[in-house]
Amino acid sequence: MIQELLMAAAGAAAAAAVYAGAAARVVKQYERGVVFRFGRLRDDIRSPGFTMIVPVVDRLHKVNMQIVTMPVPAQEGITRDNVTVRVDAVVYFKVVDAADALVRVEDYKFAVSQMAQTSLRSIIGKSDLDDLLSNREKLNQGLELMLDSPAMGWGVAIDRVEIKDVSLPETMKRSMARQAEADRERRARVINADAELQASKKLAEAAGVMSDQPAALQLRLLQTVMAVSAEKNSTLVLPIPVELLRFLERATPGAPETEPVAAPEPAPPLSEAYLKGRAAAADAIEDLTGSSVEPVPRDADTA
């Protein structure tokens, strides 16, 4: 009798151990447990830790609550200004309601992926090329709003959406490079012109100061000589205009004023009798020598 009781107790203990092993479940810290009893959703969501279910009757589904990083495949589209581009992005999302993520959508990851691709193509068609290249923050916010609206009904929250890369055709890249080069050249010319304007103003001010103090020109000349001689040159050629020397001579205190050179007086005009005598002599020479000797033109004589 006692042996039969011991065997019954051992069998009961074994059955209890098997039941406990079949009913025991462990939910990790980043997971939540959703229980279905005879296919009906139970309201109690199992929190992290050790939990028990009814074997054969209950089914426990674990849902990951971590943030999921999902790359969106590159989507090709035409922008609003008729430029063909390829854009890829990345979506960060997480499950906020484990029950809705299992009940309301068949595969929430696949649904988010398809919605992200569709929204990305829609954003490409509504945006200009300049917005895709320089105003990505606004486009990221627009993508996040487009994804967040349907995802909330699936128990999923969109944490962040980022446009990762924008691929352009080679012809468009060359056009943009030429545009950037032309813009840089324009800015360089404007800067050079502004520098020339500022330098001319400073030179005008310096010329005004030097005109009041003529000795400043000599000091500046000596500074130029010193700067050139510092380059270890054996020959120094310094052109000095004559006007500068005259200016310095007049500006030197105690120097005599140079008198202007008088213009030569014009020669007196030739008399009429003298001109007639020269003409007669020319006719006589022509008669003696013949036509081989060319007479002196009268116009030259009169000159």
Side-chain angles (χ1 to χ4, degrees):
M1 185 65 182
I2 297 176
Q3 186 177 2
E4 293 178 355
L5 291 176
L6 292 176
M7 293 179 63
V18 171
Y19 178 84
R25 295 289 188 273
V26 176
V27 180
K28 296 180 181 179
Q29 181 64 38
Y30 54 86
E31 294 177 339
R32 296 296 182 270
V34 180
V35 178
F36 290 90
R37 179 167 294 175
F38 292 112
R40 184 181 294 273
L41 176 67
R42 301 285 295 176
D43 294 335
D44 54 335
I45 303 299
R46 305 301 172 89
S47 58
F50 181 80
T51 185
M52 296 288 292
I53 63 173
V54 179
V56 182
V57 177
D58 292 343
R59 292 290 184 270
L60 178 66
H61 296 271
K62 300 177 182 179
V63 180
N64 193 335
M65 307 296 288
Q66 292 177 312
I67 295 178
V68 180
T69 303
M70 177 180 292
V72 181
Q75 302 298 312
E76 185 172 353
I78 300 176
T79 60
R80 191 166 56 181
D81 50 354
N82 299 325
V83 179
T84 303
V85 295
R86 289 178 60 88
V87 182
D88 56 352
V90 59
V91 181
Y92 302 90
F93 67 94
K94 63 180 179 179
V95 177
V96 294
D97 192 333
D100 288 344
L102 288 177
V103 174
R104 293 183 178 274
V105 63
E106 180 180 1
D107 187 351
Y108 66 89
K109 291 185 179 180
F110 180 75
V112 172
S113 176
Q114 294 300 311
M115 181 60 68
Q117 296 179 35
T118 305
S119 301
L120 184 58
R121 285 194 296 267
S122 178
I123 284 292
I124 293 173
K126 295 178 180 179
S127 305
D128 294 331
L129 179 61
D130 294 337
D131 294 335
L132 288 175
L133 296 177
S134 60
N135 197 12
R136 293 189 181 182
E137 188 65 28
K138 182 179 178 181
L139 298 180
N140 294 337
Q141 294 177 1
L143 272 174
E144 184 176 349
L145 290 176
M146 294 177 66
L147 292 175
D148 196 51
S149 299
M152 287 301 296
W154 305 335
V156 177
I158 303 300
D159 186 71
R160 190 174 182 83
V161 181
E162 292 285 346
I163 294 178
K164 189 164 57 175
D165 189 20
V166 178
S167 300
L168 300 175
E170 292 297 329
T171 55
M172 181 58 64
K173 290 181 180 179
R174 289 193 294 268
S175 299
M176 294 177 65
R178 289 195 299 268
Q179 178 184 0
E181 184 179 357
D183 184 68
R184 289 288 181 179
E185 186 176 357
R186 177 185 63 83
R187 291 168 58 184
R189 290 183 179 181
V190 171
I191 293 174
N192 288 334
D194 185 64
E196 292 292 338
L197 178 61
Q198 295 180 9
S200 63
K201 291 181 180 179
K202 295 299 181 181
L203 288 175
E205 294 177 3
V209 174
M210 289 183 180
S211 63
D212 296 336
Q213 299 293 332
L217 289 175
Q218 298 181 5
L219 295 177
R220 183 59 183 165
L221 181 61
L222 293 176
Q223 290 179 358
T224 304
V225 173
M226 291 178 61
V228 175
S229 61
E231 298 295 333
K232 298 181 181 180
N233 295 326
S234 58
T235 304
L236 178 62
V237 179
L238 184 63
I240 300 177
V242 180
E243 291 78 5
L244 179 61
L245 297 178
R246 291 179 180 175
F247 174 76
L248 295 176
E249 184 179 359
R250 289 196 302 268
T252 303
E257 296 291 338
T258 58
E259 297 181 356
V261 179
E265 297 181 357
L270 299 176
S271 61
E272 186 177 356
Y274 175 76
L275 295 176
K276 290 181 179 180
R278 290 290 302 272
D283 293 339
I285 293 173
E286 183 178 357
D287 294 339
L288 293 175
T289 58
S291 58
S292 60
V293 179
E294 295 182 358
V296 178
R298 298 183 179 182
D299 295 337
D301 296 338
T302 57

